[in-house]
Amino acid sequence: MNIDIEDINDNSPTFESNTVRISVPENVELGTALYVVSASDRDSGKSGTVTYRLSNGSGGSMPSSNANLVTSNSMTSNNLFSIDSSTGHLTLSQHLDFETSQRHTLIVTATDSGEPSLSSNLTIFVEVQDVNDNLPIFERNEYTIKVLESTPINSQVN
């Protein structure tokens, strides 16, 4: 007599850590993999198959597995980042701008395919690195000053 034991979905996906910090230059190319999210699930079969999505910071999630949401210090902006639902590759969907926002917080939800499905979250803190991408700007088009002829070379004038 053989007894088959079926695995029930009693384990949530787990991340190695609850938070991750990454630093990204503001001029990184769109589509570049910024980070690879990885969660494991101790269940077998479909209960152990994990998919990923970006979720909003208030606990709810967006419906599509490739839905995008990022919370920054100053605002919430959609479509800046995306995640491949099966590989966990986090990529940039729109260009970053250090002068607009220096930090972003992403919530990645890993969900297994069991019945009922179980999930867990990973918080990714993204620091945007400034790149010299803005020309200097003068306050006025012309400046007029008077300098004495006897002023020594290399003197400061204002």
Side-chain angles (χ1 to χ4, degrees):
M1 173 193 259
N2 289 336
I3 298 175
D4 291 329
I5 300 174
E6 291 186 24
D7 188 17
I8 62 170
N9 192 26
D10 57 348
N11 294 291
S12 297
T14 57
F15 292 100
E16 194 171 299
S17 171
N18 292 333
T19 60
V20 171
R21 295 184 185 281
I22 62 173
S23 185
V24 179
E26 69 178 321
N27 65 345
V28 70
E29 293 291 322
L30 296 181
T32 301
L34 306 175
Y35 186 76
V36 179
V37 174
S38 180
S40 59
D41 192 314
R42 295 185 339 177
D43 292 314
S44 62
K46 74 176 190 173
S47 294
T49 302
V50 178
T51 58
Y52 305 97
R53 73 179 181 276
L54 291 175
S55 304
N56 65 30
S58 62
S61 62
M62 302 185 81
S64 167
S65 61
N66 282 326
N68 312 308
L69 179 89
V70 61
T71 304
S72 69
N73 282 353
S74 59
M75 62 181 187
T76 299
S77 58
N78 291 324
N79 302 320
L80 247 147
F81 300 91
S82 63
I83 193 163
D84 184 293
S85 61
S86 59
T87 66
H89 283 84
L90 179 70
T91 57
L92 193 62
S93 299
Q94 293 184 13
H95 291 286
L96 297 172
D97 185 11
F98 178 86
E99 288 72 28
T100 301
S101 184
Q102 296 85 35
R103 291 173 194 84
H104 301 279
T105 302
L106 292 84
I107 306 295
V108 177
T109 300
T111 305
D112 65 26
S113 299
E115 289 293 329
S117 62
L118 301 173
S119 63
S120 61
N121 291 334
L122 169 70
T123 303
I124 301 177
F125 298 103
V126 180
E127 296 283 332
V128 180
Q129 298 171 358
D130 194 16
V131 173
N132 189 9
D133 60 346
N134 295 301
L135 296 173
I137 300 172
F138 288 100
E139 292 176 15
R140 298 185 295 226
N141 290 335
E142 292 183 14
Y143 292 86
T144 304
I145 59 170
K146 294 183 181 183
V147 180
L148 296 174
E149 186 178 342
S150 60
T151 303
I153 296 174
N154 294 328
S155 295
Q156 181 177 351
V157 294
N158 41 344

